[in-house]
Amino acid sequence: MNVLWGSMEQYDPVVWNWIIAVYLFMAGLSAGSMLVAIGLRWYKQSRGLPVDGLPVIKASAVIGPLAIVVGMALLVLDLTKPFEFYLILINYNLTSVMAWGVLLLLAYIPLVFIYSALVFEKSLVSAMPSLKGIMGVFRAIEGGLNKLIFALAIGVGVYTGFLLSALISYPILNTAVLPGLFLASSLSVGSAGNILVATLFFSKKSSDCIEQVHRIEYPVAFNEAMLLVLLFVGLNFSGPAAQAALAAISDGTWAQVFWVGVVGIGLGVPVLSSVFAPKSWKHSKPFLVTVASCTIIGVLALRHFVVYAGQMYTS
């Protein structure tokens, strides 16, 4: 006879909790915000249009550094010995996905702060004139910096998916679809975050460059939905253990989170709003704030669903 000793909490299959889910969300938000803003900058420049002072770019300069710093702070707090976090910065195992993620973030984080400083250069130099020289140097290489940030942001968005997919004992997590799903959802939440912050704090009129960003949300949402379908179709054809994991979307609390949070609020509300909302609403601030908020809630729900439901089924 098998006897279980002690509290049942020790048999909880969930090792990575909400802190990791929020960290993955914040990393994706930062990366997506950068990708959308830099992409918009290149789009405008290719047509000879001005880019200085665009509300969406200002929003990305706030979201990019803030989101990644909050995410990293949560990650450090989740460590068993948080005051020894520096050890992961000096000890590398290049066969580990996490080690590559650390290297990516070490390059990405300071560059995002430089990006933010360039966006708010006038205010920054006005407050601290001594920075004028170094800002001039950064401005001279801004084009190259943006290309590097764009590449690193793709890496950060994909890395969050690879980090989980490396867990080979979990059918929902150990799939090649997950990095692509996380990158697509990063673009989705990044565009929504930029729209939300731009609308609330930087845009005098709601149509200021927000329309171009708003347009990419729906193709991205479609790709995100297709990747979700591929994830669960793949599970259905991957053996008994993977098929058993399909219960994650049919039974229990996390099934409700998936259908209500991810599909209903995160995908359904934005797409249906774009199709059925009167044209006069689509550029109003209440509409943009509501749709962007639903997208953000949906991606946050997706990160929680993947982290929690993914750990509840093993092969």
Side-chain angles (χ1 to χ4, degrees):
M1 181 175 66
N2 293 325
V3 179
L4 300 180
W5 293 91
S7 169
M8 286 300 293
E9 289 184 0
Q10 65 181 304
Y11 305 106
D12 187 350
V14 174
V15 177
W16 287 2
N17 58 16
W18 67 268
I19 293 178
I20 299 301
V22 175
Y23 156 67
L24 295 173
F25 169 80
M26 287 295 181
L29 173 60
S30 176
S33 175
M34 289 293 101
L35 290 171
V36 170
I38 293 173
L40 176 65
R41 178 185 289 272
W42 290 341
Y43 172 83
K44 290 284 187 181
Q45 289 175 337
S46 69
R47 284 158 177 74
L49 300 173
V51 295
D52 291 339
L54 294 182
V56 168
I57 292 178
K58 286 184 176 180
S60 70
V62 174
I63 293 172
L66 180 61
I68 197 64
V69 166
V70 171
M72 292 305 297
L74 288 171
L75 187 61
V76 169
L77 288 174
D78 190 58
L79 295 174
T80 304
K81 298 179 179 180
F83 294 109
E84 295 182 9
F85 76 93
Y86 65 90
L87 293 174
I88 65 175
L89 304 179
I90 57 178
N91 296 304
Y92 292 97
N93 174 13
L94 295 182
T95 63
S96 167
V97 175
M98 190 170 291
W100 283 104
V102 171
L103 289 171
L104 265 174
L105 291 168
L106 278 176
Y108 174 77
I109 292 172
L111 291 179
V112 169
F113 276 92
I114 293 172
Y115 170 93
S116 181
L118 286 170
V119 170
F120 296 112
E121 180 180 5
K122 291 181 180 179
S123 300
L124 195 60
V125 171
S126 177
M128 302 176 66
S130 60
L131 293 177
K132 186 175 182 179
I134 188 66
M135 293 306 299
V137 173
F138 290 145
R139 182 64 70 185
I141 59 172
E142 183 181 17
L145 286 175
N146 284 339
K147 291 176 183 177
L148 183 54
I149 293 170
F150 193 87
L152 290 170
I154 292 175
V156 171
V158 171
Y159 152 73
T160 57
F162 274 119
L163 183 63
L164 295 178
S165 66
L167 301 174
I168 60 175
S169 298
Y170 301 93
I172 293 177
L173 303 180
N174 185 222
T175 168
V177 174
L178 202 60
L181 175 61
F182 271 36
L183 180 59
S185 61
S186 293
L187 285 167
S188 182
V189 75
S191 62
N194 286 349
I195 289 172
L196 181 63
V197 173
T199 301
L200 291 177
F201 301 107
F202 297 116
S203 181
K204 293 181 181 178
K205 54 181 181 177
S206 60
S207 60
D208 280 341
C209 293
I210 292 175
E211 183 179 356
Q212 290 92 340
V213 178
H214 199 47
R215 284 177 182 173
I216 76 165
E217 277 193 294
Y218 307 116
V220 169
F222 177 80
N223 289 328
E224 187 180 343
M226 289 299 98
L227 287 166
L228 282 169
V229 171
L230 288 174
L231 173 63
F232 292 108
V233 169
L235 288 175
N236 190 50
F237 293 100
S238 299
Q243 289 171 358
L246 288 172
I249 59 170
S250 63
D251 184 49
T253 300
W254 293 108
Q256 297 175 28
V257 170
F258 178 79
W259 290 109
V260 176
V262 179
V263 177
I265 297 175
L267 294 173
V269 171
V271 172
L272 292 175
S273 297
S274 71
V275 174
F276 296 108
K279 191 173 182 180
S280 59
W281 290 13
K282 293 184 178 180
H283 301 302
S284 67
K285 288 194 173 185
F287 179 86
L288 291 170
V289 169
T290 300
V291 172
S293 297
C294 286
T295 300
I296 292 168
I297 291 169
V299 174
L300 184 59
L302 175 64
R303 293 297 199 266
H304 278 80
F305 170 81
V306 170
V307 169
Y308 278 91
Q311 293 178 84
M312 298 175 77
Y313 299 89
T314 59
S315 57

